[in-house]
Amino acid sequence: MTLPTIIMIEDDEGHARLIEKNLRRAGVENEIVHFGDGASALAHLFQQRGLPADRKATPLLILLDLNLPDMSGAEVLKRIKENSILKRLPVIMLTTTDDKLEIQRCYDLGCNVYITKPVIYQNFAEAVRQLGLFLSVMQVPEPA
C-alpha cells in the first residue's frame, strides 16, 4: 500500500514544524512535502500531474493554509479544483481564519475538510489517517 504524500502549503515555519511534529507523534508516517507559498506549491502539483500516463502518480493529500504571502489559500484551492486531474485531490484547509463566510467559500470551492488552528492534533491526525486509507483504496483515474 502506497501512503499518500502530504503536500503542506503553510507560510509560517513554526506552524509547519508544529503540524509535522504532531502528525508524527500521532503516528502519521506519510512523506510530507512543505511549500511556503501558493505559487511554488501549484507549480509542483501541476508538474507532478503532468507526468506521462505510463507513470503512476503518487496519491496526494493537501493541507492548505488560507493566508499565504503570494495568494490566498482560496485561490490555490480554486486552481486545484478547476483542473480536471487535480480536482480529485482531497484538500484540508488548516488555518486560523474562523470567518463563517470564508469557511463556506472554501467548501463551495471544493475543500474536503476545514479545520481552524489551533487544533486538537490527535483528531486532526486521525482525519488525515482516514483520508489516507480512503486514498489507498480509491482508484484515481490516469491523466488523459
Side-chain angles (χ1 to χ4, degrees):
M1 174 172 94
T2 302
L3 292 175
T5 296
I6 297 172
I7 301 293
M8 181 182 356
I9 308 168
E10 167 63 68
D11 64 313
D12 184 303
E13 281 294 325
H15 284 172
R17 282 194 306 274
L18 184 63
I19 291 165
E20 183 167 358
K21 175 183 169 187
N22 283 287
L23 285 172
R24 300 292 183 221
R25 186 182 302 156
V28 174
E29 298 175 3
N30 308 54
E31 176 186 10
I32 299 173
V33 180
H34 175 238
F35 294 94
D37 63 84
S40 59
L42 286 171
H44 174 81
L45 289 167
F46 280 92
Q47 176 199 13
Q48 178 166 352
R49 294 299 156 175
L51 295 172
D54 62 336
R55 286 191 55 199
K56 187 171 182 161
T58 304
L60 299 176
L61 168 66
I62 300 171
L63 301 179
L64 177 56
D65 186 16
L66 200 54
N67 303 307
L68 298 170
D70 58 342
M71 65 180 73
S72 74
E75 179 62 26
V76 174
L77 176 63
K78 181 176 184 271
R79 291 186 192 182
I80 289 168
K81 295 302 181 176
E82 286 175 344
N83 181 276
S84 62
I85 296 161
L86 296 179
K87 71 180 179 184
R88 296 175 179 89
L89 298 178
V91 178
I92 298 176
M93 302 303 293
L94 186 61
T95 184
T96 55
T97 305
D98 63 357
D99 178 270
K100 293 193 185 321
L101 291 175
E102 199 61 50
I103 293 169
Q104 187 58 53
R105 179 172 178 231
C106 289
Y107 279 117
D108 290 346
L109 288 171
C111 85
N112 298 82
V113 179
Y114 191 105
I115 300 173
T116 304
K117 296 184 262 185
V119 301
I120 299 170
Y121 280 95
Q122 191 62 38
N123 296 349
F124 168 64
E126 184 58 31
V128 169
R129 269 198 297 273
Q130 291 297 322
L131 275 169
L133 178 60
F134 172 72
L135 279 174
S136 71
V137 298
M138 179 179 80
Q139 292 184 340
V140 179
E142 290 294 326

